[in-house]
Amino acid sequence: MRGQREKGIIFLEKYTYFGGETLYQIGDKVVHPMHGAGVIDSVVQRKVSGQVQEFYLLKLSVGNMVVMVPTDNTGEIGMRPVVSGAKAEELMSEMEDIEVDMTQNWNRRYRENMVRLKSGDLLEVARVVKGLLRRDSQRGLSNGERKMLHTAKQILISELVLAQSLPYETVESSINSLLSH
């Protein structure tokens, strides 16, 4: 199905993608494991390395950033639907009791946290945030870990904002109070 053309990009209208086990439509709320939650704004075709490929344009809920995600490898990337409101509430109630055990070796700790972030599991992302907040209050963070903390908080908050239909500031305040203990 062809649509409107703009700057070498073809915007497809009324598009549904059936790829492997995933099905996303324009307007679906999804999570990219390294960028956070957003809404599929459109599906476009673009020429990459001489071949036309289709991409979801994912408009993130935090920061007004747009991410292009190839439609044919969303599963490989780890893109998934946003959790339900009930699941978000359950996670919020569990956050205060999350156990965090971080190694003293910063290099290993960084790699372990990166694996947790890439997993796309919201509880693991909350574990990273809580661990880094605790470490920051005890010993401070390196620049790399400070950036990771910021990214992890954005990923966590962006999904909870979409799942619970709450303002960013409300979710951020709740997260800060739950995870700072």
Side-chain angles (χ1 to χ4, degrees):
M1 191 181 309
R2 290 192 115 30
Q4 192 177 1
R5 186 181 262 299
E6 180 181 305
K7 294 183 186 176
I9 299 174
I10 300 172
F11 289 85
L12 304 176
E13 298 167 14
K14 297 181 183 174
Y15 183 85
T16 301
Y17 173 68
F18 297 90
E21 74 285 345
T22 56
L23 164 72
Y24 297 115
Q25 297 179 350
I26 294 170
D28 283 354
K29 296 175 182 179
V30 297
V31 180
H32 187 290
M34 293 307 294
H35 295 291
V39 177
I40 295 179
D41 191 47
S42 59
V43 180
V44 299
Q45 289 182 336
R46 190 166 200 177
K47 205 173 214 179
V48 178
S49 300
Q51 293 197 348
V52 176
Q53 293 183 349
E54 293 179 346
F55 295 87
Y56 292 117
L57 286 188
L58 179 61
K59 186 171 183 182
L60 301 180
S61 62
V62 177
N64 292 325
M65 189 165 85
V66 177
V67 177
M68 289 180 65
V69 181
T71 59
D72 60 354
N73 73 347
T74 57
E76 194 176 303
I77 291 171
M79 199 162 93
R80 63 172 173 75
V82 168
V83 297
S84 67
K87 183 72 176 164
E89 284 293 324
E90 182 182 322
L91 177 77
M92 294 288 282
S93 67
E94 295 174 4
M95 275 189 201
E96 200 169 10
D97 299 326
I98 291 175
E99 292 296 321
V100 178
D101 181 33
M102 294 202 164
T103 180
Q104 294 297 317
N105 180 307
W106 74 268
N107 191 17
R108 183 178 296 153
R109 185 174 59 245
Y110 187 88
R111 282 184 284 145
E112 288 172 356
N113 283 334
M114 189 58 75
V115 168
R116 287 184 180 115
L117 286 180
K118 287 182 178 179
S119 75
D121 182 333
L122 204 52
L123 191 59
E124 289 300 311
V125 175
R127 190 179 315 274
V128 170
V129 173
K130 186 171 186 174
L132 291 176
L133 283 172
R134 182 177 293 163
R135 177 110 184 137
D136 190 28
S137 68
Q138 293 170 350
R139 297 187 178 186
L141 295 174
S142 67
N143 286 336
E145 285 183 315
R146 190 167 309 286
K147 184 177 177 186
M148 180 181 278
L149 173 60
H150 176 74
T151 299
K153 280 180 87 174
Q154 295 299 328
I155 291 169
L156 182 64
I157 293 169
S158 69
E159 184 162 4
L160 293 173
V161 162
L162 286 182
Q164 297 178 309
S165 300
L166 292 172
Y168 180 90
E169 295 77 17
T170 303
V171 174
E172 182 179 36
S173 176
S174 296
I175 295 292
N176 286 339
S177 67
L178 287 171
L179 295 181
S180 62
H181 295 91

